[in-house]
Structures are given as structure tokens and as C-alpha cells.
Amino acid sequence: MFEELKEIICNYVEVEPSDIHPDSRFMEDLGFTSFDFVSMMGELEEQYEIEIDPAQAGSIRTVQEAVDYLTALVE
């Protein structure tokens, strides 16, 4: 899931995959805007055929938190 998420992140912000780490923060470290983040969540919903709770998504700060949340939904 982490490697797949890294590829998707690179579609939204100008960052090298090698610069994305589990503790990378979407806004502060990777340069996401709120719009980028919401758009990415929509893409993840479609790709994995899941429904992301907006309240839960709002509490996701790091890449690892996103991986953990998505993994729980997909399983």
C-alpha cells in the first residue's frame, strides 16, 4: 500500500518518490493543499472501491496514517 500511495502522491505534488517517507506530513513536508488532499482521497476511493469518512480523512496528517487507514478499509 505504501508504494502505491507514493505513486499517487506524485500525481498531486512535485516530489520525488524517494523523498516520501512514512512520517512525511502531507501539508508541511509534501506541499499538499487542502484541495490536493481531498482530490487524492477521491481518487483513492475510486481506485480501491472504498468510502472514506471525511471526518477520519481530516485527521490524517502523515503518509503512514493514510496507509494504516486505507489498509483497514480495504481489508
Side-chain angles (χ1 to χ4, degrees):
M1 178 69 74
F2 178 67
E3 293 301 320
E4 293 171 22
L5 187 56
K6 281 179 23 175
E7 290 179 28
I8 293 170
I9 288 169
C10 291
N11 293 333
Y12 289 90
V13 289
E14 301 265 336
V15 63
E16 293 297 318
S18 60
D19 294 333
I20 301 171
H21 307 285
D23 62 345
S24 296
R25 297 168 298 174
F26 285 100
M27 308 293 182
E28 297 88 340
D29 301 327
L30 301 177
F32 269 72
T33 64
S34 296
F35 180 77
D36 293 331
F37 189 75
V38 170
S39 297
M40 183 185 72
M41 288 293 141
E43 180 178 338
L44 291 166
E45 283 183 318
E46 288 180 22
Q47 180 169 334
Y48 292 106
E49 297 180 354
I50 55 174
E51 189 170 329
I52 295 173
D53 178 1
Q56 290 285 93
S59 68
I60 294 172
R61 300 282 177 256
T62 67
V63 174
Q64 187 61 52
E65 289 173 1
V67 167
D68 293 343
Y69 180 67
L70 293 169
T71 300
L73 285 178
V74 170
E75 290 179 347

